[in-house]
Amino acid sequence: MAKAAKPPKSDLTTRLQSNYLFKELDADWLDDYLKTLDLKGEKLYSSRPVYTAFRPGVSLDFLYVIVNGGPVITRSTPLDRVISISYPGGCFGMRNLAFSYGQVSRSFPSLVEAYKTTDVFRIPLDVIESIYKENQTFRDRYDLLFELREKFQYHLLNCSTYPPQAVAALLRALVYQERSLGNQPDANGVYVFDLPVDVIAHASQLNHRTVEQVLKGMQQVGLLASPTAKDTSSDIVRVADPEGLKEVYSATRDKVSWWPLK
């Protein structure tokens, strides 16, 4: 007798498996968790707040899983500084779930917003808890998300007032984050970020003109690659030499010869 054809994965499972948390998890097993849920993709639109993180006594009911678009940023108050940037393949909201490390994760109220239109799924907390309890791979990945948030902010703590180092600190944070999530680099070893000058300026506390000069200088010395015809946005930043970028990140003023201002 012919073997019965295996039912196809649901569209939801297929899309979720493009995300770090769910990548390569057994599709049938994941379908069992998701088949009773009426989950539909949602769009988060630019310049509209998603929620205010770290409000006293307030927690979320969903984990936001990014499948397309973005970035989604978190801006601290009162300095209006970008303290997290999330891209497709990543998640946000875990530090505001009353679960796992989220139960002890505290900070000051911060605005979470989609800087550009972003496609997400909101996965209910009880589903996240169940998968976390049963699957070691998911558990390890979920825990790593907290570690990456801390390390992202650690990079920004080393963001000096020296413009090349300040911009390099942010780019190094993103390289480390996206490499750890398995989202980057591309086949040519290049890290590609949709990263507007405004976001870089907010994160590094520089003005827009200075940021533009630093990016131009980095491109001239080969740390960043030139734009390509495939770029979907004028905000694309291509990190071509992450090791060279690391040298700038740890440099003192006299070591960055291409920056004209001392």
Side-chain angles (χ1 to χ4, degrees):
M1 179 184 287
K3 216 173 186 181
K6 198 172 186 180
K9 291 185 292 184
S10 69
D11 179 62
L12 175 60
T13 297
T14 300
R15 297 191 71 186
L16 283 181
Q17 285 188 312
S18 68
N19 184 273
Y20 168 72
L21 272 180
F22 301 94
K23 192 178 296 181
E24 297 176 356
L25 295 186
D26 183 83
D28 295 331
W29 180 83
L30 191 55
D31 268 340
D32 287 340
Y33 275 99
L34 304 176
K35 63 186 178 184
T36 59
L37 301 176
D38 185 26
L39 291 181
K40 294 183 175 66
E42 300 180 30
K43 282 193 180 294
L44 307 177
Y45 293 99
S46 61
S47 303
R48 296 184 189 177
V50 181
Y51 63 91
T52 299
F54 306 118
R55 286 194 298 168
V58 177
S59 59
L60 297 179
D61 298 319
F62 304 92
L63 176 69
Y64 289 84
V65 174
I66 307 175
V67 293
N68 195 37
V72 174
I73 65 174
T74 302
R75 294 191 296 162
S76 66
T77 55
L79 295 179
D80 193 30
R81 189 169 182 179
V82 174
I83 57 174
S84 77
I85 303 175
S86 301
Y87 288 101
C91 304
F92 66 96
M94 59 277 177
R95 292 188 299 168
N96 287 270
L97 293 178
F99 165 67
S100 182
Y101 295 106
Q103 295 176 311
V104 294
S105 182
R106 298 288 183 271
S107 188
F108 296 104
S110 303
L111 180 67
V112 179
E113 63 179 335
Y115 198 85
K116 295 186 178 182
T117 302
T118 308
D119 296 321
V120 301
F121 284 103
R122 294 194 303 168
I123 310 297
L125 174 58
D126 59 338
V127 174
I128 296 297
E129 287 182 304
S130 296
I131 299 177
Y132 183 94
K133 181 179 179 180
E134 292 196 26
N135 190 285
Q136 181 66 48
T137 299
F138 184 92
R139 190 156 56 243
D140 290 343
R141 292 174 179 176
Y142 190 83
D143 293 347
L144 180 62
L145 291 177
F146 286 86
E147 180 182 330
L148 291 177
R149 281 289 185 263
E150 293 301 316
K151 288 183 175 179
F152 188 93
Q153 293 187 42
Y154 172 81
H155 278 91
L156 295 190
L157 282 174
N158 287 300
C159 178
S160 77
T161 57
Y162 186 42
Q165 190 184 54
V167 175
L170 175 62
L171 295 178
R172 282 295 302 171
L174 290 173
V175 164
Y176 185 90
Q177 171 181 288
E178 296 304 296
R179 183 178 62 208
S180 298
L181 294 176
N183 298 333
Q184 303 255 21
D186 65 14
N188 297 314
V190 176
Y191 291 80
V192 183
F193 303 107
D194 192 337
L195 190 61
V197 167
D198 181 57
V199 173
I200 300 174
H202 275 88
S204 59
Q205 295 187 301
L206 300 171
N207 63 56
H208 288 61
R209 177 60 182 151
T210 301
V211 170
E212 289 169 348
Q213 287 178 312
V214 172
L215 294 177
K216 182 178 179 180
M218 287 181 168
Q219 190 171 314
Q220 288 174 339
V221 297
L223 297 173
L224 304 183
S226 301
T228 72
K230 294 181 180 179
D231 289 344
T232 57
S233 164
S234 60
D235 296 323
I236 296 295
V237 174
R238 295 177 165 272
V239 177
D241 184 3
E243 289 306 309
L245 195 66
K246 189 175 181 180
E247 293 178 11
V248 176
Y249 168 62
S250 58
T252 55
R253 291 173 184 253
D254 58 344
K255 291 183 181 177
V256 184
S257 59
W258 50 267
W259 182 249
L261 304 177
K262 302 297 182 183

